[in-house]
Each structure stands twice: as C-alpha cells, then as structure tokens.
Amino acid sequence: MVAGREGERGIALVFALAALTLVAITIAAVAAEISSRGAGVVLEERSVRTTALSDWVMAETMAELADRAHSFGGIPERAVDGGTISSTVRPIGEWEVEVVAVGVREGWQSTIVARVSLLTGPRVAWWQRTQGPADIDR
C-alpha cells in the first residue's frame, strides 16, 4: 500500500470537493434550462389553443354574415370543447361591419378585431389579433 504524505491527501480532498461543486452547478444549470423550456411549451400551447378558439368563432361569424349579412349581430358566449367563444358584429357603414371574435381558455383570451366589407360578400379588409389574460368583467 502506498501512503501519500499528509499534505497531498488534503489537496486531493480540496480538488474532489471542487469537482463535486462544479458537477452540482452544472446539474443546477441544466435543470433550470429544462424548467424554462417546459414553461415555454406551456405558454405556446395556451397561445395555440386560444388562437384556435378565436379562429373558430371568426369562421362561424363570417359564415353567418354570408348568410344573414346586416341582420346578424354576433354569436352569444357559449362553452365549447376547450373553452368559450363569442363574437359581436357592429355596423360602421352601410356595407361595412366590425367583427370582434373572442376565444377564452383557462384564464387566457385571444381576440380578433376585423373590419369586414359586405359589398361583395363578407370579405375581411383589415384585422388584428391580440392575446392576454381574460377579461373578468365580460
């Protein structure tokens, strides 16, 4: 058996502790990265699902506008698979309306505001989508 001097064993212990510290820091950094990516996936899923709901109600609203044009006032709020949807139609001219289509899921809301021409059938002239926390006072 080879025995090292007392000072050499102390240095080996310091190096071993330093190596373990570096391993622990690396593991913590990897865990933090995995956690942040997981949170990003959750946010992306929420965004995609609420976007799908607002697209759904916008498509239904456009179909009703094609059928009933000026007499259609929107879709009342109703529960659907995955959340709630609603829309409102407000005239802004003789042949133009503003459509607000809203999809809500788990406290998150996607809203489409569109200007729709009724002159040659419903055609979207301008639109904007926003997302954020759902309005509680709706």
Side-chain angles (χ1 to χ4, degrees), residues 79-104:
V80 295
D81 248 4
T84 61
I85 60 172
S86 65
S87 71
T88 57
V89 177
R90 182 179 63 89
I92 38 179
E94 187 176 351
W95 293 102
E96 189 174 30
V97 295
E98 179 184 70
V99 175
V100 178
V102 179
V104 178

PDB file of all heavy atoms in Angstrom, residues 79-104:
ATOM      1  N   ALA A  79     -70.069  27.842 -24.209  1.00  0.00           N
ATOM      2  CA  ALA A  79     -68.988  26.910 -23.897  1.00  0.00           C
ATOM      3  C   ALA A  79     -68.836  25.929 -25.051  1.00  0.00           C
ATOM      4  O   ALA A  79     -69.825  25.450 -25.606  1.00  0.00           O
ATOM      5  CB  ALA A  79     -69.277  26.162 -22.604  1.00  0.00           C
ATOM      6  N   VAL A  80     -67.600  25.656 -25.416  1.00  0.00           N
ATOM      7  CA  VAL A  80     -67.270  24.669 -26.441  1.00  0.00           C
ATOM      8  C   VAL A  80     -66.140  23.808 -25.894  1.00  0.00           C
ATOM      9  O   VAL A  80     -65.598  24.090 -24.817  1.00  0.00           O
ATOM     10  CB  VAL A  80     -66.842  25.356 -27.762  1.00  0.00           C
ATOM     11  CG1 VAL A  80     -67.993  26.132 -28.365  1.00  0.00           C
ATOM     12  CG2 VAL A  80     -65.637  26.243 -27.548  1.00  0.00           C
ATOM     13  N   ASP A  81     -65.790  22.759 -26.620  1.00  0.00           N
ATOM     14  CA  ASP A  81     -64.661  21.930 -26.210  1.00  0.00           C
ATOM     15  C   ASP A  81     -63.416  22.793 -26.047  1.00  0.00           C
ATOM     16  O   ASP A  81     -62.967  23.414 -27.001  1.00  0.00           O
ATOM     17  CB  ASP A  81     -64.389  20.865 -27.283  1.00  0.00           C
ATOM     18  CG  ASP A  81     -64.693  19.479 -26.804  1.00  0.00           C
ATOM     19  OD1 ASP A  81     -65.179  19.346 -25.672  1.00  0.00           O
ATOM     20  OD2 ASP A  81     -64.452  18.535 -27.574  1.00  0.00           O
ATOM     21  N   GLY A  82     -62.890  22.890 -24.863  1.00  0.00           N
ATOM     22  CA  GLY A  82     -61.644  23.616 -24.646  1.00  0.00           C
ATOM     23  C   GLY A  82     -61.775  25.049 -24.183  1.00  0.00           C
ATOM     24  O   GLY A  82     -60.766  25.705 -23.952  1.00  0.00           O
ATOM     25  N   GLY A  83     -62.982  25.595 -24.061  1.00  0.00           N
ATOM     26  CA  GLY A  83     -63.096  26.975 -23.595  1.00  0.00           C
ATOM     27  C   GLY A  83     -64.439  27.573 -23.924  1.00  0.00           C
ATOM     28  O   GLY A  83     -65.452  26.877 -23.989  1.00  0.00           O
ATOM     29  N   THR A  84     -64.450  28.901 -24.146  1.00  0.00           N
ATOM     30  CA  THR A  84     -65.672  29.596 -24.539  1.00  0.00           C
ATOM     31  C   THR A  84     -65.373  30.461 -25.752  1.00  0.00           C
ATOM     32  O   THR A  84     -64.242  30.913 -25.942  1.00  0.00           O
ATOM     33  CB  THR A  84     -66.229  30.489 -23.404  1.00  0.00           C
ATOM     34  OG1 THR A  84     -65.255  31.476 -23.066  1.00  0.00           O
ATOM     35  CG2 THR A  84     -66.597  29.683 -22.185  1.00  0.00           C
ATOM     36  N   ILE A  85     -66.422  30.702 -26.562  1.00  0.00           N
ATOM     37  CA  ILE A  85     -66.291  31.564 -27.729  1.00  0.00           C
ATOM     38  C   ILE A  85     -67.453  32.541 -27.760  1.00  0.00           C
ATOM     39  O   ILE A  85     -68.526  32.270 -27.211  1.00  0.00           O
ATOM     40  CB  ILE A  85     -66.248  30.754 -29.045  1.00  0.00           C
ATOM     41  CG1 ILE A  85     -67.514  29.919 -29.233  1.00  0.00           C
ATOM     42  CG2 ILE A  85     -65.000  29.885 -29.109  1.00  0.00           C
ATOM     43  CD1 ILE A  85     -67.618  29.248 -30.599  1.00  0.00           C
ATOM     44  N   SER A  86     -67.231  33.679 -28.402  1.00  0.00           N
ATOM     45  CA  SER A  86     -68.295  34.655 -28.623  1.00  0.00           C
ATOM     46  C   SER A  86     -67.830  35.632 -29.703  1.00  0.00           C
ATOM     47  O   SER A  86     -66.633  35.748 -29.976  1.00  0.00           O
ATOM     48  CB  SER A  86     -68.634  35.422 -27.341  1.00  0.00           C
ATOM     49  OG  SER A  86     -67.526  36.206 -26.940  1.00  0.00           O
ATOM     50  N   SER A  87     -68.802  36.321 -30.300  1.00  0.00           N
ATOM     51  CA  SER A  87     -68.458  37.375 -31.258  1.00  0.00           C
ATOM     52  C   SER A  87     -69.539  38.439 -31.238  1.00  0.00           C
ATOM     53  O   SER A  87     -70.673  38.185 -30.840  1.00  0.00           O
ATOM     54  CB  SER A  87     -68.297  36.812 -32.674  1.00  0.00           C
ATOM     55  OG  SER A  87     -69.538  36.433 -33.214  1.00  0.00           O
ATOM     56  N   THR A  88     -69.137  39.628 -31.647  1.00  0.00           N
ATOM     57  CA  THR A  88     -70.093  40.719 -31.830  1.00  0.00           C
ATOM     58  C   THR A  88     -69.866  41.305 -33.216  1.00  0.00           C
ATOM     59  O   THR A  88     -68.741  41.319 -33.725  1.00  0.00           O
ATOM     60  CB  THR A  88     -69.920  41.836 -30.774  1.00  0.00           C
ATOM     61  OG1 THR A  88     -68.583  42.329 -30.826  1.00  0.00           O
ATOM     62  CG2 THR A  88     -70.219  41.332 -29.384  1.00  0.00           C
ATOM     63  N   VAL A  89     -70.957  41.779 -33.820  1.00  0.00           N
ATOM     64  CA  VAL A  89     -70.899  42.416 -35.129  1.00  0.00           C
ATOM     65  C   VAL A  89     -71.524  43.793 -34.974  1.00  0.00           C
ATOM     66  O   VAL A  89     -72.668  43.908 -34.529  1.00  0.00           O
ATOM     67  CB  VAL A  89     -71.660  41.589 -36.189  1.00  0.00           C
ATOM     68  CG1 VAL A  89     -71.651  42.313 -37.531  1.00  0.00           C
ATOM     69  CG2 VAL A  89     -71.053  40.202 -36.317  1.00  0.00           C
ATOM     70  N   ARG A  90     -70.748  44.823 -35.319  1.00  0.00           N
ATOM     71  CA  ARG A  90     -71.225  46.201 -35.174  1.00  0.00           C
ATOM     72  C   ARG A  90     -71.113  46.912 -36.521  1.00  0.00           C
ATOM     73  O   ARG A  90     -70.032  46.944 -37.114  1.00  0.00           O
ATOM     74  CB  ARG A  90     -70.371  46.921 -34.136  1.00  0.00           C
ATOM     75  CG  ARG A  90     -70.770  48.345 -33.843  1.00  0.00           C
ATOM     76  CD  ARG A  90     -69.871  48.968 -32.780  1.00  0.00           C
ATOM     77  NE  ARG A  90     -68.488  49.070 -33.162  1.00  0.00           N
ATOM     78  CZ  ARG A  90     -67.951  50.120 -33.802  1.00  0.00           C
ATOM     79  NH1 ARG A  90     -68.698  51.144 -34.126  1.00  0.00           N
ATOM     80  NH2 ARG A  90     -66.670  50.128 -34.090  1.00  0.00           N
ATOM     81  N   PRO A  91     -72.225  47.465 -37.014  1.00  0.00           N
ATOM     82  CA  PRO A  91     -72.140  48.198 -38.286  1.00  0.00           C
ATOM     83  C   PRO A  91     -71.306  49.467 -38.136  1.00  0.00           C
ATOM     84  O   PRO A  91     -71.419  50.184 -37.133  1.00  0.00           O
ATOM     85  CB  PRO A  91     -73.597  48.553 -38.611  1.00  0.00           C
ATOM     86  CG  PRO A  91     -74.436  47.946 -37.552  1.00  0.00           C
ATOM     87  CD  PRO A  91     -73.562  47.423 -36.477  1.00  0.00           C
ATOM     88  N   ILE A  92     -70.458  49.744 -39.128  1.00  0.00           N
ATOM     89  CA  ILE A  92     -69.702  51.009 -39.136  1.00  0.00           C
ATOM     90  C   ILE A  92     -69.943  51.789 -40.428  1.00  0.00           C
ATOM     91  O   ILE A  92     -69.411  52.862 -40.593  1.00  0.00           O
ATOM     92  CB  ILE A  92     -68.191  50.795 -38.926  1.00  0.00           C
ATOM     93  CG1 ILE A  92     -67.674  49.567 -39.610  1.00  0.00           C
ATOM     94  CG2 ILE A  92     -67.775  50.848 -37.528  1.00  0.00           C
ATOM     95  CD1 ILE A  92     -66.192  49.338 -39.431  1.00  0.00           C
ATOM     96  N   GLY A  93     -70.728  51.260 -41.267  1.00  0.00           N
ATOM     97  CA  GLY A  93     -71.095  51.909 -42.532  1.00  0.00           C
ATOM     98  C   GLY A  93     -72.196  51.086 -43.170  1.00  0.00           C
ATOM     99  O   GLY A  93     -72.595  50.047 -42.644  1.00  0.00           O
ATOM    100  N   GLU A  94     -72.669  51.558 -44.319  1.00  0.00           N
ATOM    101  CA  GLU A  94     -73.763  50.846 -44.980  1.00  0.00           C
ATOM    102  C   GLU A  94     -73.336  49.435 -45.391  1.00  0.00           C
ATOM    103  O   GLU A  94     -74.114  48.488 -45.296  1.00  0.00           O
ATOM    104  CB  GLU A  94     -74.236  51.629 -46.205  1.00  0.00           C
ATOM    105  CG  GLU A  94     -75.461  51.029 -46.839  1.00  0.00           C
ATOM    106  CD  GLU A  94     -75.984  51.876 -47.992  1.00  0.00           C
ATOM    107  OE1 GLU A  94     -75.500  53.012 -48.179  1.00  0.00           O
ATOM    108  OE2 GLU A  94     -76.875  51.401 -48.695  1.00  0.00           O
ATOM    109  N   TRP A  95     -72.104  49.267 -45.829  1.00  0.00           N
ATOM    110  CA  TRP A  95     -71.626  47.971 -46.318  1.00  0.00           C
ATOM    111  C   TRP A  95     -70.389  47.496 -45.570  1.00  0.00           C
ATOM    112  O   TRP A  95     -69.606  46.698 -46.094  1.00  0.00           O
ATOM    113  CB  TRP A  95     -71.327  48.045 -47.815  1.00  0.00           C
ATOM    114  CG  TRP A  95     -72.570  48.258 -48.603  1.00  0.00           C
ATOM    115  CD1 TRP A  95     -73.004  49.430 -49.154  1.00  0.00           C
ATOM    116  CD2 TRP A  95     -73.559  47.285 -48.898  1.00  0.00           C
ATOM    117  NE1 TRP A  95     -74.199  49.246 -49.773  1.00  0.00           N
ATOM    118  CE2 TRP A  95     -74.571  47.930 -49.641  1.00  0.00           C
ATOM    119  CE3 TRP A  95     -73.706  45.933 -48.609  1.00  0.00           C
ATOM    120  CZ2 TRP A  95     -75.704  47.270 -50.097  1.00  0.00           C
ATOM    121  CZ3 TRP A  95     -74.823  45.276 -49.078  1.00  0.00           C
ATOM    122  CH2 TRP A  95     -75.810  45.940 -49.817  1.00  0.00           C
ATOM    123  N   GLU A  96     -70.207  47.979 -44.354  1.00  0.00           N
ATOM    124  CA  GLU A  96     -69.019  47.565 -43.594  1.00  0.00           C
ATOM    125  C   GLU A  96     -69.400  47.334 -42.127  1.00  0.00           C
ATOM    126  O   GLU A  96     -70.194  48.081 -41.559  1.00  0.00           O
ATOM    127  CB  GLU A  96     -67.921  48.635 -43.675  1.00  0.00           C
ATOM    128  CG  GLU A  96     -66.602  48.178 -43.106  1.00  0.00           C
ATOM    129  CD  GLU A  96     -65.497  49.210 -43.329  1.00  0.00           C
ATOM    130  OE1 GLU A  96     -65.780  50.415 -43.379  1.00  0.00           O
ATOM    131  OE2 GLU A  96     -64.345  48.774 -43.426  1.00  0.00           O
ATOM    132  N   VAL A  97     -68.843  46.281 -41.538  1.00  0.00           N
ATOM    133  CA  VAL A  97     -69.090  45.970 -40.134  1.00  0.00           C
ATOM    134  C   VAL A  97     -67.753  45.715 -39.442  1.00  0.00           C
ATOM    135  O   VAL A  97     -66.744  45.411 -40.083  1.00  0.00           O
ATOM    136  CB  VAL A  97     -70.007  44.730 -39.957  1.00  0.00           C
ATOM    137  CG1 VAL A  97     -71.396  44.995 -40.491  1.00  0.00           C
ATOM    138  CG2 VAL A  97     -69.402  43.492 -40.582  1.00  0.00           C
ATOM    139  N   GLU A  98     -67.785  45.860 -38.119  1.00  0.00           N
ATOM    140  CA  GLU A  98     -66.632  45.484 -37.297  1.00  0.00           C
ATOM    141  C   GLU A  98     -67.001  44.201 -36.562  1.00  0.00           C
ATOM    142  O   GLU A  98     -68.044  44.126 -35.926  1.00  0.00           O
ATOM    143  CB  GLU A  98     -66.297  46.574 -36.287  1.00  0.00           C
ATOM    144  CG  GLU A  98     -65.119  46.186 -35.399  1.00  0.00           C
ATOM    145  CD  GLU A  98     -64.847  47.217 -34.332  1.00  0.00           C
ATOM    146  OE1 GLU A  98     -65.671  47.344 -33.406  1.00  0.00           O
ATOM    147  OE2 GLU A  98     -63.815  47.895 -34.434  1.00  0.00           O
ATOM    148  N   VAL A  99     -66.138  43.201 -36.675  1.00  0.00           N
ATOM    149  CA  VAL A  99     -66.345  41.930 -36.001  1.00  0.00           C
ATOM    150  C   VAL A  99     -65.306  41.804 -34.897  1.00  0.00           C
ATOM    151  O   VAL A  99     -64.117  42.039 -35.125  1.00  0.00           O
ATOM    152  CB  VAL A  99     -66.204  40.738 -36.977  1.00  0.00           C
ATOM    153  CG1 VAL A  99     -66.306  39.417 -36.234  1.00  0.00           C
ATOM    154  CG2 VAL A  99     -67.251  40.816 -38.071  1.00  0.00           C
ATOM    155  N   VAL A 100     -65.768  41.449 -33.692  1.00  0.00           N
ATOM    156  CA  VAL A 100     -64.866  41.139 -32.586  1.00  0.00           C
ATOM    157  C   VAL A 100     -65.138  39.691 -32.202  1.00  0.00           C
ATOM    158  O   VAL A 100     -66.231  39.362 -31.744  1.00  0.00           O
ATOM    159  CB  VAL A 100     -65.081  42.080 -31.380  1.00  0.00           C
ATOM    160  CG1 VAL A 100     -64.152  41.693 -30.232  1.00  0.00           C
ATOM    161  CG2 VAL A 100     -64.872  43.535 -31.785  1.00  0.00           C
ATOM    162  N   ALA A 101     -64.145  38.831 -32.433  1.00  0.00           N
ATOM    163  CA  ALA A 101     -64.272  37.402 -32.132  1.00  0.00           C
ATOM    164  C   ALA A 101     -63.344  37.065 -30.972  1.00  0.00           C
ATOM    165  O   ALA A 101     -62.166  37.414 -31.002  1.00  0.00           O
ATOM    166  CB  ALA A 101     -63.896  36.576 -33.360  1.00  0.00           C
ATOM    167  N   VAL A 102     -63.891  36.383 -29.953  1.00  0.00           N
ATOM    168  CA  VAL A 102     -63.133  36.127 -28.730  1.00  0.00           C
ATOM    169  C   VAL A 102     -63.165  34.637 -28.389  1.00  0.00           C
ATOM    170  O   VAL A 102     -64.232  34.026 -28.358  1.00  0.00           O
ATOM    171  CB  VAL A 102     -63.713  36.935 -27.536  1.00  0.00           C
ATOM    172  CG1 VAL A 102     -62.934  36.659 -26.260  1.00  0.00           C
ATOM    173  CG2 VAL A 102     -63.730  38.421 -27.855  1.00  0.00           C
ATOM    174  N   GLY A 103     -61.979  34.091 -28.109  1.00  0.00           N
ATOM    175  CA  GLY A 103     -61.850  32.734 -27.592  1.00  0.00           C
ATOM    176  C   GLY A 103     -61.157  32.784 -26.246  1.00  0.00           C
ATOM    177  O   GLY A 103     -60.153  33.483 -26.095  1.00  0.00           O
ATOM    178  N   VAL A 104     -61.698  32.099 -25.251  1.00  0.00           N
ATOM    179  CA  VAL A 104     -61.136  32.117 -23.894  1.00  0.00           C
ATOM    180  C   VAL A 104     -60.910  30.687 -23.431  1.00  0.00           C
ATOM    181  O   VAL A 104     -61.769  29.819 -23.615  1.00  0.00           O
ATOM    182  CB  VAL A 104     -62.074  32.844 -22.898  1.00  0.00           C
ATOM    183  CG1 VAL A 104     -61.500  32.825 -21.485  1.00  0.00           C
ATOM    184  CG2 VAL A 104     -62.331  34.268 -23.346  1.00  0.00           C
TER     185      VAL A 104
END
